[in-house]
Amino acid sequence: MPISLARRPVLVLALVAPLLAVPPLAAAPFELPSLDPIVHYQPKLPLQVLTADGEEIAQFGAERREYVPLKQIPLQLQQAVLAVEDARFREHSGVDPKGMARALVAAITGGRKQGASTITQQLVRTMLLTRQFSAERKAKEIWLALKLENELSKDRILEIYLNEIFLGQRAYGFAAAAHTYFGKPLDKLTLAENAMLAGLPQNPYYANPVANFQRATQRQRVVLERMRATEVITEQQLAQAKAEKLQLRTPGQRSVHAAHVAEMARQAVVERFGTEAYSKGLRVTTSLLAADQRAAHAAVQRGVLAFDRRGVWRGPEDTESLPAGNGAELERAAAEALKDHRDDETLRVGIVLDASPKALQVQLASGDRITVQGEGLRWAQRALGPQAKAPLKIERGAIVRVVSTGKTKDRKRNVWAISQWPEAEAALVAMDPRTGRIRALVGGFDFTRQPFNHVTQGWRQPGSAIKPLLFSAALESRVMPATVVDDLPFTAANGWSPTNSNGQHQGPISVREALARSSNLASVRVLQHTGTANARDWLGRFGLDPARQPDDLTLALGTGSATPLQMAQAYAVLANGGWRVSPVVIEKITDAQGKVLFEAPPPVELSDDTRAIPARNAYVMGSLLNEVTRSGTAARAQAVLKRTDIYGKTGTTNDAVDAWFAGYQPTLAATVWVGYDQPRSLGRSESGGRAALPIWIDYMGAALKGQPVVPPAAPPAGLVREGEDWLYAEWRDGGWVSQISDTAGTQYKTTLGGEIGKLFDSIGNWLRSGAPATQPTPPTD
């Protein structure tokens, strides 16, 4: 009967041992692969996307790898790897005769199996040979190891090994593994974490801490003992490392959540450089700031979940059968039941082990057991009663989502609440209004479930958020903040009759008050005076597409289309004093050596050539928008943020299908949208002020933390004070619109004589002659 060498490693060792006596540069008795892939090492480096301040957003490629020179790899990690994999690495010439002899004796005597391959052998096997165990492969491995040691230095071999070796979970090299398992760079690892990683090369598939934490821990202990035996750590360090409780990075956890931006970068790079971009180590630096992006992501998640909790409990995601009892068998069955349900950092997946109206016992995908009780159960309380309907009922075996709502008073454990995946979506984009650089962009609640980028692709009705842009146009038609406009019922020639959100009207009110109250009736009259053609052209100055706006008076109610990015760009014009800036997300693309392949042009100079609207127009509109956040529909903004340098406008469309808040602080413009992918009402009580504004406030509170309040700038040339408000200087002696009224017509403040006044009246009446072509229901604010 033939003997299988694959089953008899002792025979293989005996057969290849004579090769050690052969000079390494002598001709081999078999054909060998070239050493070039190692000698001229070109690692397959993934496409990497980074924030402007250097934090990783994403990697794209089959292999996760980050190349780190040996001098930047912590000595303790090097010592850990050498202690367990090749303690005599610095002494041998590629093959360790003592190690092979020790392994041979252990195999013959039935002792503990020992590895005989040096790091050099492992490297040539990984990069040049197959993993199939045979005498020929082992002989080639030895021969190539001996040759390689004549080609490269010990440091270079170790450097390539530490960057190339597979360590499980798609991680190649220790830098990638550090991020994969612990979410840390190499220089932040503890001794216990270094030892855990050093134990991975032996069995990266089944003994990594994600696949089997117990096996990984056992291997870690071996590494620590070897480090102590080789005297690179002390007895005290050994004890401390064994006692340390390791905190693994949860699956899918990222330091910076910006998947929609990562996808924008990926598409741009592949379009420019092809699919080779996935392995050439290209690095894309975006304009995002890590802290801003974290704040934006958290604000969107909190805001959407808060909105969802104002709705109904829709029931568990699924139900699984669980065995009786409460021991190890139940724990294994629960883990098995959860393996096909994706976990999430915020919306943790769990299976109910015990349910009562007072408490839920839940096992999470991580294996931890938690209790949900009290306020955390209130939302789904009816699902826990005996009369609960089957689709909604929470019982043993139910798959549910839970969120952490904070810590207990003693700070020892989390407080949990029942939750669910929301059906609504939201988007947030923030930019520097002076440069157009995007500081934060959240294209949706969860990219994995919905990759559609609502910031750049979501064309929705802006509702009342468009009113400031239309009022800006009206300023150039002699409408001033003190102009009095009828907030009274309005009926066009074709019978169209818009109303205010509350169904009420205030009578004659100033333009300032009209915008603060978000009066639909006054806004229609202001637009009628301005003229829809003039207003649509004016919107183009802000970056909106005039062709997507209606050519009738419904434009006053925001029935056209815009994306959140366009709205942020538009409000940036008001924030920076009237200049149009172009949004920039991708700052730079470099190759693996740092050579710049693409770089965004520097911000345009804010000059007359780039001016979108007059400086005085932007100043007056800022005054009006500050009033909105002080006393109007967004008064909550200044009250919560405790800042006076806040400007913005709420927006809600017909039946509350879309909720908006667009606004700025002089150094930061941001827009938030909330709605459903398939347009439907958010609810009768929802609005931009209730659904979108809290997200905006949450983000701005974090983004502006520590920044001093910016006082109002000095008024630009061409403005004067008239009574309690601003007035264009040329109208100091009359000529501006003092009143827009259905009964009295358009009245002009004038001291220029009756004939000129009549001329203004006739021009105004002519501008008012337009009528809407459509008849939608108006927005709610």
Side-chain angles (χ1 to χ4, degrees):
M1 179 180 296
I3 299 175
S4 171
L5 294 178
R7 298 173 181 273
R8 299 289 188 270
V10 62
L11 297 179
V12 173
L13 289 171
L15 288 169
V16 301
L19 290 173
L20 297 180
V22 181
L25 298 181
F30 31 66
E31 186 176 350
L32 294 174
S34 171
L35 286 173
D36 280 353
I38 303 179
V39 174
H40 305 290
Y41 180 57
Q42 294 293 327
K44 290 183 179 179
L45 298 175
L47 168 63
Q48 194 174 20
V49 184
L50 308 169
T51 64
D53 38 358
E55 294 206 33
E56 183 179 280
I57 295 171
Q59 287 189 16
F60 296 97
E63 301 177 358
R64 296 182 182 275
R65 182 183 284 107
E66 177 185 347
Y67 192 86
V68 181
L70 186 65
K71 62 183 179 180
Q72 296 178 20
I73 298 176
L75 179 61
Q76 191 177 77
L77 176 60
Q78 296 182 42
Q79 291 171 333
V81 173
L82 293 177
V84 74
E85 293 294 332
D86 192 356
R88 289 168 38 81
F89 174 71
R90 298 289 180 181
E91 303 169 23
H92 62 64
S93 299
V95 178
D96 184 6
K98 290 184 178 180
M100 291 188 70
R102 187 172 59 250
L104 183 61
V105 170
I108 293 173
T109 61
R112 185 171 64 88
K113 181 181 177 181
Q114 300 185 28
S117 294
T118 64
I119 279 179
T120 313
Q121 288 175 260
Q122 292 180 48
L123 184 60
V124 297
R125 180 171 69 235
T126 297
M127 296 188 65
L128 304 177
L129 303 172
T130 69
R131 297 190 65 84
Q132 184 179 359
F133 196 78
S134 68
E136 181 178 341
R137 194 221 67 190
K138 194 66 178 179
K140 288 181 177 181
E141 175 187 305
I142 292 172
W143 206 286
L144 288 168
L146 295 169
K147 291 186 66 177
L148 184 61
E149 294 258 355
N150 282 279
E151 294 281 348
L152 298 177
S153 68
K154 287 286 187 180
D155 280 354
R156 180 57 176 162
I157 291 171
L158 182 59
E159 179 179 295
I160 296 173
Y161 176 87
L162 294 175
N163 281 282
E164 179 67 21
I165 199 72
F166 176 62
L167 298 171
Q169 303 296 313
R170 289 180 53 223
Y172 289 78
F174 284 87
H179 284 289
T180 297
Y181 296 113
F182 300 115
K184 297 180 179 181
L186 288 175
D187 60 358
K188 301 297 183 183
L189 294 176
T190 66
L191 171 59
E193 291 166 340
N194 277 323
M196 178 71 80
L197 296 185
L200 295 177
Q202 184 188 71
N203 197 343
Y205 291 98
Y206 303 110
N208 71 68
V210 172
N212 192 305
F213 188 77
Q214 183 179 358
R215 277 198 291 259
T217 302
Q218 291 173 351
R219 181 63 177 163
Q220 177 212 39
R221 295 291 196 265
V222 173
V223 175
L224 290 170
E225 293 291 351
R226 288 293 301 151
M227 294 181 76
R228 179 69 190 103
T230 54
E231 298 183 345
V232 295
I233 62 172
T234 65
E235 195 66 37
Q236 182 180 4
Q237 287 177 303
L238 174 65
Q240 290 174 345
K242 285 183 175 182
E244 182 179 332
K245 185 177 181 181
L246 297 183
Q247 295 294 325
L248 296 182
R249 181 181 188 173
T250 58
Q253 181 183 353
R254 299 212 65 83
S255 173
V256 180
H257 291 267
H260 290 90
V261 173
E263 178 60 14
M264 292 168 66
R266 185 197 68 79
Q267 291 181 9
V269 170
V270 172
E271 182 178 339
R272 181 182 289 261
F273 300 105
T275 56
E276 288 189 355
Y278 295 131
S279 60
K280 295 299 183 182
L282 300 187
R283 293 164 66 94
V284 182
T285 301
T286 69
S287 60
L288 301 188
L289 298 181
D292 278 48
Q293 184 64 27
R294 289 191 186 98
H297 176 263
V300 167
Q301 292 229 316
R302 282 192 289 261
V304 173
L305 290 176
F307 165 78
D308 194 62
R309 288 184 71 85
R310 294 197 290 271
V312 299
W313 165 253
R314 296 186 294 275
E317 292 184 12
D318 203 351
T319 302
E320 301 282 352
S321 297
L322 292 176
N326 197 36
E329 184 182 357
L330 174 62
E331 183 177 347
R332 286 193 297 269
E336 182 69 20
L338 290 171
K339 72 177 184 180
D340 293 328
H341 296 269
R342 184 174 70 87
D343 200 8
D344 181 79
E345 287 180 60
T346 302
L347 286 166
R348 303 299 306 278
V349 68
I351 187 167
V352 176
L353 304 182
D354 185 64
S356 75
K358 292 186 177 181
L360 290 181
Q361 299 297 323
V362 180
Q363 180 170 320
L364 303 180
S366 62
D368 296 326
R369 291 190 180 185
I370 64 166
T371 300
V372 185
Q373 57 190 354
E375 188 63 30
L377 285 181
R378 190 177 303 280
W379 184 34
Q381 196 70 57
R382 291 185 179 180
L384 294 166
Q387 304 302 318
K389 296 181 180 179
L392 303 179
K393 190 174 182 62
I394 302 176
E395 56 189 348
R396 182 179 170 89
I399 304 295
V400 297
R401 296 281 167 172
V402 293
V403 294
S404 173
T405 59
K407 294 280 189 180
T408 55
K409 290 183 179 180
D410 59 9
R411 310 293 297 174
K412 291 184 177 180
R413 58 185 179 85
N414 288 328
V415 177
W416 296 90
I418 198 76
S419 190
Q420 63 189 358
W421 277 106
E423 294 180 339
E425 282 289 353
L428 184 155
V429 58
M431 68 167 59
D432 185 328
R434 300 158 297 189
T435 66
R437 265 46 184 181
I438 302 298
R439 286 174 50 172
L441 190 156
V442 181
F445 182 82
D446 181 76
F447 179 85
T448 305
R449 290 170 65 92
Q450 174 53 287
F452 183 82
N453 191 335
H454 297 86
V455 166
T456 60
Q457 300 170 297
W459 291 91
R460 307 297 285 249
Q461 291 187 0
S464 297
I466 206 171
K467 288 176 182 175
L469 313 183
L470 299 175
F471 278 38
S472 169
L475 293 179
E476 304 308 307
S477 296
R478 307 186 188 219
V479 174
M480 294 289 110
T483 297
V484 174
V485 187
D486 279 350
D487 181 35
L488 293 168
F490 176 94
T491 301
N494 69 348
W496 179 62
S497 296
T499 60
N500 288 331
S501 61
N502 58 10
Q504 301 176 3
H505 43 80
Q506 301 299 313
I509 59 175
S510 70
V511 161
R512 177 176 293 277
E513 188 177 0
L515 191 62
R517 291 175 178 268
S518 196
S519 167
N520 292 332
L521 296 168
S523 299
V524 170
R525 289 180 169 93
V526 169
L527 175 61
Q528 189 177 49
H529 166 81
T530 306
T532 56
N534 291 335
R536 290 171 78 228
D537 289 344
W538 196 260
L539 293 178
R541 293 170 175 253
F542 290 96
L544 272 64
D545 183 358
R548 288 181 176 264
Q549 314 309 319
D551 190 15
D552 55 52
L553 293 181
T554 66
L555 175 62
L557 310 183
T559 58
S561 295
T563 67
L565 181 59
Q566 286 183 325
M567 294 301 291
Q569 182 182 10
Y571 276 71
V573 173
L574 300 173
N576 66 28
W579 286 280
R580 182 173 175 182
V581 292
S582 298
V584 172
V585 177
I586 298 178
E587 291 279 13
K588 184 170 58 177
I589 303 173
T590 59
D591 64 15
Q593 287 72 45
K595 179 183 177 182
V596 176
L597 306 177
F598 165 82
E599 191 163 17
V604 297
E605 182 181 355
L606 302 182
S607 65
D608 289 342
D609 292 336
T610 57
R611 180 165 288 285
I613 62 174
R616 63 181 183 175
N617 186 302
Y619 189 90
V620 171
M621 289 311 306
S623 171
L624 296 178
L625 289 172
N626 188 259
E627 188 68 36
V628 174
T629 64
R630 187 188 72 84
S631 66
T633 58
R636 181 178 179 184
Q638 288 197 34
V640 173
L641 292 173
K642 295 180 172 54
R643 304 181 67 101
T644 57
D645 57 346
I646 298 297
Y647 311 75
K649 182 68 184 73
T650 52
T652 316
T653 63
N654 179 30
D655 292 332
V657 170
D658 299 284
W660 295 80
F661 187 80
Y664 60 89
Q665 186 263 2
T667 64
L668 185 62
T671 294
V672 173
W673 165 86
V674 179
Y676 291 104
D677 282 331
Q678 297 299 320
R680 60 186 172 95
S681 177
L682 291 165
R684 293 180 60 185
S685 63
E686 295 298 333
S687 65
R690 193 179 191 204
L693 178 58
I695 298 175
W696 192 90
I697 291 173
D698 191 353
Y699 164 69
M700 292 294 276
L704 298 176
K705 186 176 182 180
Q707 292 192 25
V709 172
V710 178
L719 282 180
V720 295
R721 294 291 288 185
E722 176 76 9
E724 297 299 319
D725 225 320
W726 295 104
L727 182 71
Y728 279 12
E730 61 266 35
W731 311 126
R732 180 195 296 271
D733 296 324
W736 57 279
V737 175
S738 61
Q739 184 175 3
I740 301 174
S741 171
D742 294 342
T743 57
T746 303
Q747 302 296 312
Y748 291 86
K749 183 75 172 181
T750 179
T751 59
L752 301 179
E755 292 302 317
I756 295 178
K758 291 179 182 178
L759 175 61
F760 287 151
D761 283 342
S762 64
I763 293 173
N765 290 331
W766 175 71
L767 289 172
R768 293 175 63 248
S769 63
T774 57
Q775 189 174 341
T777 305
T780 58
D781 68 22

